[in-house]
Structures are given as structure tokens and as C-alpha cells.
Amino acid sequence: MDLRQLEYFQMVSRLCSVTRAAEQLHVSQSTVTLAIQKLEDSLDIQLFDRSQKQLSLTTEGQIFLQSVSDILNRLQDATAEIKKYRQLQKGTIRFGVPPMIGSFLFPEILAEFTSQYPQLQLSIIEESSSALCQLLERGELDLAIVNLYQPSLLLETLPITTEEIVACLPLSHPMANSSIINIQDLQNEPFILFKEGAYNRQIILEECKRHGFMPNILLSSDQIETIKGLVIKGVGISFLIRAVARPNNDFTAVPLSCPLHLQFGLAWKKDKYLSKAAQAFIKFITEIICPPITIQ
């Protein structure tokens, strides 16, 4: 039994004629006759009453037609649904962003993407880059913007932007007006860092260790606004990328004498099937990074 046999059976049932069905299907009459015979043989039952001049369904044929019609209708609906996904008229991308990206870079990217592809949806979660990489590796996310500080061998990555880390100090801090700060001069300050697993935290701790001290970590948070608020209140100092620290006049952001940077990029699992929607997002990001050249 195959799909073509079911289609031929449905057409013959509708027209009560093999000849007319063959004409409608643009095949030979013998092709339709053979298909119906094979279908009856596989079912071991007679579907048509051939005793009269005009074909008619047997009782069993009528019951079978109901199921066949349902199957073919479902198949038609499924085909139409898949066509929407293929033509990017429908689709969902499981997407991840780390907190710092979520606060400055991603909103702009999302706004532009949704204006180009209004029918596509992004199901977004916010986690640290390390957690997002694990979700990508397990196939629980399609795409994520992550810190590329320690790239995974299981992931494909597409660099997007590189951002400088700056020291964030309350306006009342003695070094608030400095043009540059040596991280060693901050060793007695209370630090407010991202939680364990964040690459921003890891880079700061490694830099402190390189300068011969372990900082006093007063508290850890994944919330950008919480960190900013604590710095403003003079509870401690922190380290954010310049793009996140810049739009605030309530605290000061000072570059480090030994500049530290974070590189962010789009990531997805190697050899994993990517939906048309996910492929469209990758293409969209690629065109942002390397806009197509227009030849005039």
C-alpha cells in the first residue's frame, strides 16, 4: 500500500469511474486499475462493487474511504504547514542571551530581525554564557549569543562584537576622576561581580591573580541593574563592558591600564540540523557583520 494508491482510490470513489479518474489524474486507465487491484489485494477485501455499470463502494469501501480521506486531508494540511516554515512564514527559534548582551546588544538585533521576519518567533532565555553553551551542546537551544572567551569544540561560532571591560566606581570614589586605573590599586576594594560561571567574573579573577592578589568579593549577582545600583550607592566596585556602563551618569566607568576585552558571537551546535528560521537568523547576523556590497 502506498500514498498513490490511496489517492487513486479516493478519486475513483469520488467519480465512480476508473476512466474519469484516470483522466483527472492524467494517468492511463490501466495504471489506476492496477493500483486499485493492488490496494484490494493488500487489504484482502473488495472495495468496489463492479456488478453494475457504474462503480460503487462496498460497505467496507465506504468505511475505508472515510479513513483515507482523513489521512490525505491531514497530509495536505501538514504539507501546507511545512511550506509555511520553508518560506519563513512561520517558525520558532529557541534563543539564549547572557545578561550583558540582553541589556545592550540583543534588543537592537531583535528589533531589526523581527522587522524583517515578522512571522518568526524567538523563544528567549537569559543565562550565563557557560550555561548557554551547555544548553546548545545538549540541543536544548537552537542559537545563542555567547562570550567567546572559552569556545566549545562542539559549537560553531560567528564573532559579532568585541567589548572592553571597564572599572565601575561610585562618583564619590577617590579614583572616580582617573583617566586609567591599575587593577592592583583596587585590591582593597569590595568587589561586586557576576555569579560563578560568568566569563566576566573569571577574567577579572584571573587578572587579579596575575597581579598577586585575590579580591574581596562582597556579593555576586547576574542582574545588571542590581550591580549598577550597588555601585551607585557606594557598596562596592564592579566591572562591566563599556557599552553597558556608558549610558549611566550616576557612576563612573574608568578603563584599566591593562585593557581587558570580551568577544561575543553567535553560536550553534556543530552538525545539528538547523531550521529555516535559525538559518535565516544566522544569515541576518552575517549580513550585519559583513554587509553586502552594492555595485553601482
Side-chain angles (χ1 to χ4, degrees), residues 261-285:
H261 296 87
L262 289 175
Q263 186 180 41
F264 297 95
L266 187 65
W268 61 95
K269 188 177 181 181
K270 290 180 179 178
D271 302 323
K272 179 183 181 292
Y273 169 76
L274 292 174
S275 67
K276 291 291 184 180
Q279 293 177 38
F281 194 94
I282 294 172
K283 181 175 181 290
F284 166 78
I285 292 295

Side-chain angles (χ1 to χ4, degrees), residues 198-234:
Y199 290 130
N200 177 285
R201 176 192 179 102
Q202 186 175 336
I203 289 173
I204 296 301
L205 293 180
E206 289 176 357
E207 185 68 3
C208 291
K209 184 178 180 181
R210 193 171 72 84
H211 283 80
F213 73 97
M214 285 298 294
N216 169 29
I217 303 174
L218 183 64
L219 59 87
S220 304
S221 175
D222 281 336
Q223 302 300 315
I224 297 288
E225 294 307 315
T226 298
I227 292 174
K228 286 182 178 180
L230 292 170
V231 171
I232 292 169
K233 294 294 184 181

Side-chain angles (χ1 to χ4, degrees), residues 6-67:
L6 299 181
E7 292 173 339
Y8 289 178
F9 166 70
Q10 185 187 53
M11 187 63 71
V12 173
S13 301
R14 184 182 302 163
L15 300 177
C16 300
S17 168
V18 171
T19 303
R20 289 163 58 196
E23 292 173 355
Q24 188 75 22
L25 294 165
H26 304 292
V27 297
S28 67
Q29 183 175 335
S30 60
T31 298
V32 176
T33 299
L34 181 61
I36 298 299
Q37 289 175 349
K38 286 184 176 181
L39 186 58
E40 289 181 325
D41 290 342
S42 64
L43 293 171
D44 192 23
I45 202 166
Q46 187 172 324
L47 298 171
F48 290 99
D49 182 354
R50 297 173 175 83
S51 63
Q52 304 297 322
K53 185 175 182 180
Q54 188 178 50
L55 283 178
S56 61
L57 288 168
T58 62
T59 302
E60 293 85 355
Q62 292 174 2
I63 294 171
F64 186 61
L65 178 62
Q66 293 176 8
S67 297

